[in-house]
Amino acid sequence: QVQLVESGGGLVQPGGSLRLSCAASGSIARMTAMGWYRQAPGKQRESVAVMTRVGYRNYADSVKGRFTSSSNNAKNTVYLQMNSLKPEDTAVYYCNVVYEGDDYWGQGTQVTVSS
């Protein structure tokens, strides 16, 4: 079992920045993949950023050049740096890890981009 706790969401104006954090209960160095997803009202959950243990990274086209995912193995924490935020980035953001073939999800953190 892996528990994930997200933090860092909030209300930000268009063009602003936020950094989301996801603290894992286990060693993220052992995770097959780590990622961030989001779900806006009335829409399906979508992938935002994915990182694998072997160094592969992928970003949704809508966030390329604006969002950056990273991790700190010593702190067992995954981050999502979000810059140049747009109103369409408004959603609940979820942290996800894959460990021994199973998916684990955080509780989600709300990001609202509005003036």
Side-chain angles (χ1 to χ4, degrees), residues 11-33:
L11 173 64
V12 63
Q13 292 187 341
S17 298
L18 283 174
R19 188 177 80 156
L20 305 183
S21 299
C22 172
S25 61
S27 172
I28 63 172
R30 300 175 61 188
M31 308 298 175
T32 305

Side-chain angles (χ1 to χ4, degrees), residues 39-95:
Q39 187 166 18
K43 295 187 176 182
Q44 290 188 329
R45 190 174 297 188
E46 63 175 353
S47 173
V48 175
V50 175
M51 303 183 293
T52 69
R53 189 169 54 194
V54 296
Y56 171 80
R57 293 175 188 265
N58 187 61
Y59 295 93
D61 287 342
S62 59
V63 307
K64 282 181 181 176
R66 300 189 297 123
F67 290 12
T68 303
S69 62
S70 62
S71 62
N72 184 323
N73 288 358
K75 295 184 177 181
N76 290 322
T77 301
V78 182
Y79 303 98
L80 184 68
Q81 178 66 44
M82 306 185 294
N83 298 327
S84 303
L85 283 161
K86 304 176 181 180
E88 50 264 43
D89 294 319
T90 295
V92 177
Y93 283 70
Y94 297 90
C95 178

Side-chain angles (χ1 to χ4, degrees), residues 1-6 21-28 31 75-78 95-97 99 102-108:
Q1 279 281 355
V2 177
Q3 294 182 333
L4 304 171
V5 179
E6 297 121 335
S21 299
C22 172
S25 61
S27 172
I28 63 172
M31 308 298 175
K75 295 184 177 181
N76 290 322
T77 301
V78 182
C95 178
N96 166 270
V97 300
Y99 176 63
D102 291 325
D103 272 291
Y104 295 90
W105 295 90
Q107 82 285 358

